[in-house]
């Protein structure tokens, strides 16, 4: 099986009529339907008929000499927690298994308006809570590089689909790393935009002060292209910033005005798998070779991120998930409980939510409860401020922070049963969400681990709304290395 075309390449080929959108779509549908790809469980739902109609419409527009958008005819996957009118928006949950959204999320609608063909909904951890996609009610997704290994999470379906060449790009969501970490585990590019850069309208809320939708692609250029399409103000989301959206693709290349100052924190080197540290050292050398100045940075609060995140995110989740009561949304317990409203709530929620979601709701209601609010929630908000201060100080000394995306590579399915062990793997990603800054994960080579070749990722972080500097630094790295070109050999398990 071969794939690996880029969004830009395919959009150009379709726009200049060397490839028909319908043929490009059929090729992708064929790849998705191949047994080895089906075994990965990347898609929860594929919208073949609707996608065919959309691709035909693009070809007809081109035949008629009409304008098409920058994503004309390109098949894109959408994470299952981003509402679209196509099929059901299940959020990886039994609770919303049959939920048909009456509207389409702004980010997804902007893809459609730019000519993209939404090909299907990608698997994810239930309500985006997790780091491995094992918490999906629809079964885990496998890592295309090693069957039986996790693809990361929670946007594991999107990452695995792009890595396996089933679609050249996908949308993910990132509350504490769910775009960047699966991108690292699957060897692709994943961008968490600054908080407010992309509308959250239609993204099923997890931690509203942390959530962002972002692109998952094979190249930095494609990420810049998708981000440019989905970013920008939205009257439906008052937290979406009014900042103008630069032309990210046009600004990608070209020499920097001044040598790039790349900051590396001591805290980024502790407790990593040796292969992760080796990839970081290699990345430092790559940047040095481009004339960048490497700056030592101290982020004294970096290690407090996990504790802070795992108070704030569950607190917000417990409030956001209160709406799933078996009355207005989603699943109602069967047989229908007849012992009063409370009974209906309790039974519907017990049936509909999986164990990780229940754990988050309990944790969140606990830290928000009257007796513990000051001890946990208010303390976490203070820690959030301090983590932001760390970044503010760091970005006076450097333009971009370089570190690993995750302390390990992908791990075998079922390997992290202890929730805390799973949470600790988010150490390098949660702080960007806590501070509202932007981050990107880039392919950084392959490691031979336990008989498998597993991708490594490095992360770049920049100040809020400085995606241009981040993407330019990412492109610089990508241009010096060939790591993103590697693709897994798919074969049935
Ligand atoms: N792994 C983190 C969590 O479980 C982040 C999830 C996300 O970014 N959606 O909460």
């Amino acid at each position: 099986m071969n794939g690996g075309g880029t969004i830009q390449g395919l959009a150009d080929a379709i726009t200049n009529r060397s490839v028909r959108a319908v043929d490009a779509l059929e090729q992708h549908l064929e790849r998705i339907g191949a047994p080895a790809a089906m075994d990965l469980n990347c898609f929860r739902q594929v919208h073949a008929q609707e996608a065919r109609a959309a691709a035909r419409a693009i070809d007809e527009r081109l035949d008629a000499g009409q304008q098409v958008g920058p994503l004309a005819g390109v098949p894109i996957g959408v994470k299952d927690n981003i509402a679209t009118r196509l099929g059901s928006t299940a959020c990886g949950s039994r609770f919303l298994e049959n939920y048909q959204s009456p509207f389409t999320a702004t980010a997804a609608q902007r893809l459609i308006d730019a000519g993209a063909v939404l090909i299907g909904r990608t698997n994810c951890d239930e309500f985006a809570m997790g780091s491995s996609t094992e918490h999906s009610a629809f079964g885990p997704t496998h890592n295309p590089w090693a069957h039986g290994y996790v693809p990361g999470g929670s946007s594991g379906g999107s990452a695995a689909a792009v890595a396996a060449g089933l679609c050249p790009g996908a949308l993910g969501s990132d509350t504490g790393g769910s775009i960047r970490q699966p991108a690292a585990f699957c060897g692709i590019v994943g961008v968490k935009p600054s908080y407010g850069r992309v509308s959250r309208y239609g993204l099923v809320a997890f931690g509203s002060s942390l959530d962002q939708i972002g692109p998952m692609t094979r190249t930095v250029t494609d990420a810049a292209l998708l981000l440019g399409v989905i970013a920008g103000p939205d009257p439906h989301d008052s937290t979406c910033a009014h900042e103008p959206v630069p032309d990210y693709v046009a600004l990608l290349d070209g020499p920097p005005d001044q040598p790039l100052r790349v900051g590396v924190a001591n805290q980024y080197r502790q407790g990593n798998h040796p292969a992760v540290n080796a990839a970081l050292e290699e990345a430092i050398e790559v940047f040095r070779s481009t004339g960048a100045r490497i700056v030592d940075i101290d982020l004294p609060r970096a290690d407090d991120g996990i504790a802070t995140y795992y108070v704030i995110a569950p607190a917000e989740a417990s409030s956001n998930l209160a709406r799933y009561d078996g009355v207005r949304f989603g699943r109602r317990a069967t047989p229908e409980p007849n012992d009063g409203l409370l009974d209906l709530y309790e039974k519907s929620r017990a049936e509909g939510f999986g164990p990780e979601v229940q754990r988050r709701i309990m944790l969140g209601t606990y830290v928000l409860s009257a007796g513990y609010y000051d001890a946990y929630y208010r303390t976490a908000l203070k820690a959030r401020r301090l983590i932001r201060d760390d970044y503010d100080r760091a970005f006076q000394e450097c333009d971009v922070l370089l570190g690993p995306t995750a302390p390990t590579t992908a791990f075998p399915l079922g390997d992290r049963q202890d929730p805390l062990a799973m949470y600790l793997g988010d150490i390098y990603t949660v702080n960007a969400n806590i501070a509202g800054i932007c981050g990107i994960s880039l392919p950084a080579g392959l490691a031979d681990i336990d008989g498998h070749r597993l991708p490594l990722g490095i992360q770049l972080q920049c100040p809020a709304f400085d995606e241009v500097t981040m993407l330019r630094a990412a492109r610089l790295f990508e241009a010096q290395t060939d790591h993103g070109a590697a693709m897994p050999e798919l074969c049935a398990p």
Side-chain angles (χ1 to χ4, degrees):
M1 178 188 297
N2 223 325
T6 63
I7 295 177
Q8 204 181 37
L10 187 55
D12 286 350
I14 290 172
T15 306
N16 73 27
R17 317 300 289 129
S18 53
V19 171
R20 290 187 71 80
V22 287
D23 295 334
L25 175 67
E26 288 309 324
Q27 274 173 16
H28 284 94
L29 289 173
E30 209 171 295
R31 280 183 208 142
I32 290 172
M38 292 294 282
D39 283 331
L40 296 176
N41 194 25
C42 299
F43 286 93
R44 189 188 59 77
Q45 216 171 48
V46 174
H47 315 300
Q49 292 320 319
E50 295 90 338
R52 285 188 176 110
R56 257 196 316 275
I58 292 288
D59 284 332
E60 280 162 16
R61 288 183 72 91
L62 285 162
D63 290 343
Q66 290 170 356
Q67 278 295 110
V68 289
L71 303 178
V74 179
I76 302 282
V78 174
K79 187 177 177 180
D80 202 18
N81 63 346
I82 298 172
T84 67
R85 275 196 223 91
L86 298 167
S88 56
T89 300
C91 234
S93 180
R94 289 278 167 227
F95 215 110
L96 291 179
E97 191 169 2
N98 301 312
Y99 172 65
Q100 307 240 318
S101 173
F103 66 104
T104 295
T106 299
Q109 188 60 49
R110 287 185 180 166
L111 293 182
I112 296 170
D113 295 344
V117 172
L118 303 193
I119 194 165
R121 319 197 53 92
T122 55
N123 196 22
C124 63
D125 285 298
E126 185 173 9
F127 287 96
M129 295 172 189
S131 312
S132 66
T133 316
E134 291 167 289
H135 295 306
S136 167
F138 306 100
T141 296
H142 292 255
N143 193 310
W145 289 91
H147 205 273
Y149 276 62
V150 303
S154 60
S155 314
S158 290
V162 173
L166 309 186
C167 51
L171 292 185
S173 72
D174 192 311
T175 303
S178 278
I179 288 176
R180 292 161 288 159
Q181 183 257 26
F185 279 16
C186 291
I188 64 162
V189 177
V191 174
K192 186 211 89 75
S194 309
Y195 185 76
R197 179 78 288 184
V198 176
S199 168
R200 291 183 296 113
Y201 180 69
L203 170 65
V204 178
F206 166 8
S208 306
S209 75
L210 306 156
D211 299 339
Q212 274 289 289
I213 295 175
M216 304 179 78
T217 58
R218 302 194 59 80
T219 67
V220 174
T221 305
D222 282 356
L225 182 59
L226 277 196
L227 182 63
V229 167
I230 63 174
D234 177 15
H236 292 305
D237 175 6
S238 60
T239 63
C240 193
H242 287 270
E243 300 268 326
V245 181
D247 184 341
Y248 295 121
V249 177
L251 293 167
L252 267 188
D253 289 298
D257 308 335
Q258 280 163 3
L260 194 66
R261 296 171 305 163
V262 176
V264 183
N266 326 322
Q267 287 84 359
Y268 290 162
R269 291 192 170 97
Q270 295 154 10
N272 301 331
H273 188 285
V276 170
N277 277 336
L280 175 60
E281 296 313 318
E282 189 209 284
I284 292 171
E285 288 317 311
V286 167
F287 276 108
R288 212 193 295 276
S289 75
T290 67
R293 197 150 65 75
I294 308 299
V295 189
D296 285 332
I297 296 287
D298 188 29
L299 296 170
R301 300 288 172 180
D303 292 344
D304 296 333
I306 290 290
T308 307
Y309 172 85
Y310 279 97
V311 171
I312 294 174
E316 295 186 11
S318 70
S319 162
N320 277 324
L321 269 58
R323 74 190 68 171
Y324 304 105
D325 54 10
V327 178
R328 289 165 300 174
F329 286 101
R331 189 186 186 100
R332 179 170 299 187
T334 46
E336 198 162 312
N338 53 11
D339 205 12
L341 194 57
L342 196 62
D343 191 39
L344 171 70
Y345 289 165
E346 285 175 357
K347 293 213 169 92
S348 300
R349 287 166 72 82
E351 262 185 26
F353 290 139
E356 184 59 27
V357 173
Q358 295 194 14
R359 183 160 33 243
R360 304 285 177 112
I361 293 172
M362 285 191 283
L363 203 59
T365 45
Y366 180 79
V367 299
L368 289 175
S369 62
Y372 294 100
Y373 185 93
D374 283 342
Y376 294 109
Y377 188 66
R378 200 188 297 282
T379 307
L381 292 185
K382 287 182 189 157
R384 184 175 200 171
R385 177 75 259 165
L386 296 173
I387 290 167
R388 277 197 192 132
D389 291 347
D390 261 14
Y391 277 122
D392 287 346
R393 266 193 305 275
F395 288 128
Q396 283 169 9
E397 294 171 51
C398 66
D399 306 305
V400 48
L401 278 165
L402 164 66
T405 308
T408 67
T409 53
F411 45 88
L413 284 161
D415 211 38
R416 290 198 187 156
Q417 296 291 341
D418 173 19
L420 204 56
M422 189 78 91
Y423 299 168
L424 286 170
D426 299 336
I427 176 120
Y428 297 130
T429 48
V430 290
N431 286 343
N433 304 72
I434 288 171
I437 65 170
C438 52
I440 186 170
S441 181
L442 298 168
L446 296 167
D448 286 313
I449 295 176
D450 296 332
H452 296 284
R453 302 192 77 204
L454 296 172
L456 295 151
I458 57 143
Q459 177 177 223
L460 302 177
Q461 298 171 89
C462 277
F465 297 102
D466 200 2
E467 275 86 0
V468 170
T469 301
M470 181 182 82
L471 290 165
R472 282 174 67 99
R475 176 74 196 118
L476 195 65
F477 178 79
E478 179 186 59
Q480 301 297 315
T481 62
D482 208 18
H483 295 317
M487 280 201 76
E489 283 287 328
L490 283 198
C491 44

